Amino acid sequence: MKNNQARLVLKKPVRRLSPFIAAVVFFVATPQAKAADKGDAFICASTADARTLMPMLASDTASAGICGYIFNGLVKYDKDLNLIGDLAERWEVFDGGLQIVFYLRKGVFWQDGAPFTSRDVDFTYRKMVDPQVRTPYSGDFERVERLETPDDHTVRVFYKEPFAPALSSWSVSIVPAHLLEKEDLNTSAFSRAPVGTGPYKFRSWKTQERIDLDANENYFLHRPNIDRVAQRVIPDPSTLFLELQTGGVDLCGLTPLQYTRQTDTPYFRGEYRKFRLPGDTYVYLGYNLRSPLFSDIRVRKALNLAVDKDEIIKIVLLGLGSVSTGPFTPQSWAFNPSVKPAPYDPSGALRLLKEAGWEDSDGDGILDNNGRKFEFTILTNQGNEERIKTAEIIQRRLSDIGIKVKIKVVEWSVFIGEFVNKRDFDVILLGWALPREPDNYDIWHSSRTREGEFNFAGYTNPEVDALLLEARRVFDQQKRRELYRKIQELIYADQPYMFIYVPDSLYVVHGRFREVEPAAAGIGYNFIDWWVPAAEQRYRMR
Amino acid sequence: MGKYILRRLAGIIPLLFGISLLSFAVINLAPGKPVALENSLNPRVSARALERLEKLYELDKPVYERYWHWLKRTAALDFGRSFSDNRPVIEKIAERLPVTIIINLLSLFLIFAAAIPLGVRCALRPDGMLDKVMTAAMFFLFAIPTFWLALLLMNFFGINLRWLPVSGITSLNYEYLSPVEKVIDLLRHLLLPVTVSSLGGIAAMARYMRSSMIEALAQPYIRMARAKGLTERSVLYKHAFRNAVMPLVTIMGLSLPGLVGGSVIFESVFAIPGAGRLFYEAVMMRDYPLIMAEVVIVSILTMTANLLADVSYAWIDPRLRDKR
Amino acid sequence: MALAALAAPLLSPYQPAQIDAGSILCAPSSAHFLGTDSLGRDVLSRLIYGARISLSVGIIAVGISTLLGVVFGSLSGFYGGSVDAFIMRCVDVMLCFPAFFLILAAVAFLDSSIFNIMIIIGLTSWMGPARLVRAEIMALKEREFVEAARASGAGNLRIIVRHILPNACGPLLVNATLAVAGAILLESGLSFLGLGVQPPVPSWGNMLTEAKATLGVAWWITVFPGGAIFLAIIGFNFIAEGIRKELG
């Protein structure tokens, strides 16, 4: 099949999918790439258009998503979130982490036919640390002392000191030296017509409408079964949900309300498969520990007891989530399952507050301490209804025990620039989306409290500081896990945040796609193995 | 008259300068930073990397210096590159503006074609049956939010009936269609957005038309015209209409520049790649070069529209002409 | 409706901020006449309390903008020449200026209170009425009755207020009626910038905004606030028609 002569023909939508077939495919989990039919297209959507397909400049999710189809890193995460080789066949760590050697896969070609070599890795590294390149991701690579390429398929990276997260930093997309050497990466035309080593190659980009990708016939693992990927731009979530009902998109994230109440129709049961996976974000209430109000740990513990997280999950997430118990989410290998959430105990909260000196001495219904009333403002960002609702429930529960809470919702850029970065807040309600590498030194280490840095709570605990440093130096995952488990225990005990919930990730995928198997890594990890039986294919590229 | 227009046109340039200076200052001094939205709160992005970005975007320089740079470049018609993807601002606007203009022209046409006769009919018999129905309908249209109306129509025509596409401006197989099919495809996609964006306008315009027409019809010269035995049609559209149309011209002059920015709601709901969304996103991301280009475009549009309105007053009402 | 807003505490069956995990998104029933929202709060109670904010924002903001519009529009239209040129260029500047940033700057310096909302909406929307009044006055000031008034020795102010404005009020009243609805909706747009009323205080505008997420599931959350705005502007329209008949 020649792609430049491709024809995209819309076939009649398949009205109903036999549940039997779906079940069989679901349980027969052997690789079926040989038996799989080729063809069809996969249509997904994002709320914003990609900004650039130059991977090292791409900081938004839409761009990163497309770059993920086109490019590869040296390493990647498998379905169980273990690091495995991607463009690198294997690697070795020497001198306790001072040197990492990657042995590159042979016979890999760029989509324009040029061979992939260690020269491309060297080029990518040099551009990552080039001060003229507008990349936000230079941090991890500034730790590299030097990089050597003894031959076409070996890369030696020397570090100034051992740095365990370095390994995962090499999942960075490698870009072709032969096409970019003479270009200014910031303004290169490459960013609108990229060439990578990945399973799909760039076909076309209609700004704010759609990006189309074609299967890479020569992909080094195997040719993907699905001929085309199209990412549409649909800014409004309500519209996206309507498009789902016309069959205009094949994959869509769902809100809890859509998951529980709007997709339980015969149409959805027949056409789509729903997925509910543990999420990788957590929502928290971050205290400003510089404020005298929250510097007392008893107060923070009391607040934690006074808010019923299960109620929040029941109302805001309609039950589709779990209580957060610290700075890792349950699907991460660093998560410590033995840390249990504190119970909902308003009277216990009042006892603790009394110990700390807070009591309603003047009978006005609000707690006070030496003439100061217990009141503060929860600050959160506009555009996330779930967070605003959460804030309203917390406000209600705290008013039950005599704490007056105001809510202020502000636009994101102002929120970050004026309040969070300048530490001008009592309490913020926010979420962290966690990368797969658990190193969270930047969020919890006491050296990261200056303006613009991420320890905005102002958390300092020498023990945690030491453990965070230690966890960065140890390459053995078992040992690192012990360290992170200890860190989670200590942080939960200190309550610099009130950890609230981890929302589940909810999706629907059209039922014609086979081999869609949810795992710890989500569902997209084996996209090249997805396939559609010829009889059910919707789009023909001929 | 010609001299007047020339004088006004010449006046646009210093005014443009003033507006751009004021806007540049306020935009840069208002809270929020451009890089904040792109990268903030991503643990992979270090504070140092952000500082470096600020330098590359020259945000560490004082505002007046940056304004001077901007002015020099803009004088040479170079609006710079967008912060979000480093593409030339002009290129980004050029690919987004046509859709917005087409939709707005279509709906503007629809608004006038529907609102003028409706308003005149209502004015003929105020508090008559038609007038009452129209009044209720128009307040209904004005009270419901645009997104609601849009979603309702999308649900009905797109999902219940499956007659029209729900969103976007082209189908997935657009590139393989014949030219005729392409036009049909485009029109099918534009039908709902144009309807939604004009309904509110029709309601409001009909209201203005009705109110001025009632006033015009009460004037002595209308009685005179009728007494002279002119046909009703001629009385209405030749004599009364001329006097009633003034507010319409004003409103049109006022709404022209708002069209670009005001398109953001239906552009988002219908997933249309137009300029309204472009500028909205630019504002939210503090993409200064793009915002400044918008300020210039909107300013030119506003001033031309108001100039046109002033010229049409004189054209419609000869008494004003001699005064100039 | 205004009375209901004043008597809100007496009329509301529930507290507007009362959260009830047991009754999320309930359809209208005898317990909740207009149903409940996604936090289990009573829609009717929130509607009644919301009327206080929405009606006062609508009326006062539009009052401010209309007043400013009349003053500047009359000056401009009546005197013409350099006064007109100056005021109209100010209008041009105001129209071109990115209001978003003005509001952002205001947010940084002002507290979020409904008075600030009214003032900001008023100050950023007088240009329309001003141009409307100016156009009407330009057309009217050459008419016979104005000449007659001038001949009888009336001063400029008197001519404007007694003779011209009553005749120019048609479009102005239409504009004001529509602007009330606009201001009610705009209020929720401003809370998005941190300037509007903040949760859990209900207003019709923010109820509608919240309703968007539940559109396919709970029609009552959208329909009732929308209906309230509809009734409110119908009410204003009656008042406006009344004024017009009085003057005409």
Side-chain angles (χ1 to χ4, degrees), chain A residues 144-199:
Chain A
V144 174
E145 194 184 2
R146 66 179 198 280
L147 185 142
E148 287 174 4
T149 51
D151 62 57
D152 271 1
H153 296 99
T154 313
V155 177
R156 282 205 189 113
V157 195
F158 295 89
Y159 281 85
K160 294 164 191 157
E161 53 185 342
F163 183 57
L167 218 42
S168 83
S169 73
W170 287 101
S171 60
V172 65
S173 298
I174 304 297
V175 294
H178 69 285
L179 293 177
L180 289 168
E181 237 153 10
K182 296 190 178 70
E183 300 268 320
D184 173 359
L185 260 52
N186 297 324
T187 54
S188 168
F190 185 89
S191 68
R192 305 272 302 172
V195 174
T197 49

Side-chain angles (χ1 to χ4, degrees), chain A residues 43-94:
Chain A
I43 321 284
C44 56
S46 63
T47 51
D49 196 10
R51 295 199 200 134
T52 169
L53 297 182
M54 178 72 77
M56 58 185 68
L57 306 182
S59 55
D60 54 306
T61 40
S63 307
I66 294 289
C67 287
Y69 287 110
I70 300 176
F71 295 95
N72 298 89
L74 293 185
V75 297
K76 67 176 178 187
Y77 285 93
D78 71 358
K79 62 180 206 164
D80 302 316
L81 298 180
N82 297 311
L83 268 185
I84 57 169
D86 195 5
L87 284 173
E89 224 160 30
R90 63 197 173 85
W91 65 86
E92 281 176 289
V93 178
F94 296 104

Side-chain angles (χ1 to χ4, degrees), chain C residues 220-243:
Chain C
W220 55 93
I221 302 180
T222 317
V223 168
F224 294 125
I229 297 178
F230 175 60
L231 290 178
I233 49 174
I234 291 250
F236 285 117
N237 181 53
F238 282 134
I239 299 171
E241 289 283 297
I243 295 176

Side-chain angles (χ1 to χ4, degrees), chain A residues 503-516:
Chain A
D504 292 339
S505 305
L506 310 169
Y507 314 93
V508 284
V509 178
H510 196 271
R512 69 181 192 278
F513 297 99
R514 304 298 198 268
E515 201 81 5
V516 183

Side-chain angles (χ1 to χ4, degrees), chain C residues 131-212:
Chain C
R131 278 196 70 95
L132 277 174
V133 171
R134 166 177 175 265
E136 285 291 300
I137 288 188
M138 281 186 352
L140 288 171
K141 72 176 178 186
E142 309 296 334
R143 291 269 177 81
E144 309 74 28
F145 64 91
V146 177
E147 302 292 333
R150 187 166 288 144
S152 69
N156 282 342
L157 184 69
R158 192 180 158 81
I159 292 177
I160 293 178
V161 175
R162 293 294 295 273
H163 299 277
I164 298 185
L165 276 183
N167 286 297
C169 73
L172 203 60
L173 284 172
V174 177
N175 181 281
T177 321
L178 299 178
V180 169
I184 290 175
L185 294 175
L186 193 62
E187 176 272 316
S188 66
L190 288 184
S191 58
F192 143 80
L193 296 175
L195 191 73
V197 295
Q198 298 290 319
V201 180
S203 78
W204 295 348
N206 67 27
M207 288 175 76
L208 270 178
T209 311
E210 281 169 22
K212 200 174 168 219

Side-chain angles (χ1 to χ4, degrees), chain A residues 218-494:
Chain A
N218 306 316
Y219 185 50
F220 59 80
L221 288 179
H222 66 80
R223 177 202 189 278
N225 298 324
I226 295 167
D227 280 353
R228 181 168 300 172
V229 170
Q231 179 164 290
R232 299 178 59 184
V233 180
I234 301 180
D236 191 305
S238 324
T239 309
L240 180 55
F241 193 65
L242 290 180
E243 275 291 348
L244 198 63
Q245 293 168 59
T246 63
V249 285
D250 292 322
L251 168 82
C252 176
L254 296 179
T255 64
L257 193 68
Q258 289 168 341
Y259 187 89
T260 50
R261 292 216 192 171
Q262 286 173 284
T263 49
D264 210 15
T265 59
Y267 171 80
F268 271 101
R269 278 195 296 267
E271 294 270 299
Y272 289 92
R273 280 176 66 198
K274 284 202 276 190
F275 294 95
R276 178 182 167 190
L277 300 164
D280 54 6
T281 60
Y282 66 91
V283 171
Y284 60 89
L285 201 62
Y287 304 108
N288 191 342
L289 299 175
R290 301 159 195 84
S291 152
L293 212 50
F294 304 111
S295 54
D296 188 333
I297 187 169
R298 288 170 297 188
V299 171
R300 303 196 302 267
K301 286 201 154 140
L303 294 179
N304 195 31
L305 293 177
V307 172
D308 185 358
K309 279 78 157 190
D310 287 317
E311 179 193 45
I312 295 176
I313 292 171
K314 192 176 161 201
I315 295 180
V316 176
L317 302 177
L318 300 170
L320 303 173
S322 53
V323 179
S324 166
T325 56
F328 303 108
T329 56
Q331 44 96 306
S332 164
W333 55 260
F335 181 75
N336 186 345
S338 64
V339 177
K340 295 288 175 232
Y344 172 52
D345 179 10
S347 52
L350 278 173
R351 266 198 310 278
L352 272 171
L353 285 168
K354 198 169 173 184
E355 263 177 51
W358 293 97
E359 232 179 328
D360 184 14
S361 60
D362 52 7
D364 64 350
I366 298 173
L367 300 180
D368 51 70
N369 183 1
N370 289 328
R372 193 187 161 182
K373 290 197 183 310
F374 203 139
E375 54 187 349
F376 61 89
T377 303
I378 296 181
L379 198 69
T380 190
N381 68 296
Q382 178 62 40
N384 190 322
E385 287 293 321
E386 285 173 7
R387 281 184 202 157
I388 298 172
K389 284 189 213 164
T390 304
E392 289 184 58
I393 297 171
I394 293 173
Q395 178 184 48
R396 190 75 199 165
R397 285 297 157 239
L398 291 184
S399 86
D400 287 349
I401 62 162
I403 297 172
K404 196 173 164 196
V405 177
K406 279 194 256 173
I407 299 174
K408 194 171 162 87
V409 186
V410 284
E411 182 250 355
W412 180 254
S413 180
V414 176
F415 176 64
I416 299 300
E418 299 301 305
F419 296 103
V420 177
N421 282 350
K422 294 192 175 154
R423 314 300 189 229
D424 181 12
F425 61 89
D426 298 327
V427 162
I428 46 171
L429 185 68
L430 253 184
W432 276 119
L434 298 176
R436 285 161 181 180
E437 160 56 46
D439 173 47
N440 49 15
Y441 180 93
D442 284 316
I443 303 176
W444 300 109
H445 196 270
S446 59
S447 68
R448 287 293 184 265
T449 53
R450 278 171 305 152
E451 186 173 322
E453 294 182 321
F454 294 134
N455 187 352
F456 33 73
Y459 177 64
T460 46
N461 179 338
E463 206 182 340
V464 170
D465 280 358
L467 288 166
L468 283 168
L469 269 177
E470 173 83 22
R472 279 189 151 187
R473 304 174 66 91
V474 177
F475 274 72
D476 182 81
Q477 188 165 314
Q478 279 307 321
K479 283 186 195 144
R480 283 187 86 196
R481 178 190 315 225
E482 290 315 310
L483 296 169
Y484 284 123
R485 290 193 167 181
K486 186 73 192 156
I487 289 171
Q488 181 177 347
E489 224 169 79
L490 290 171
I491 291 179
Y492 193 76
D494 281 342

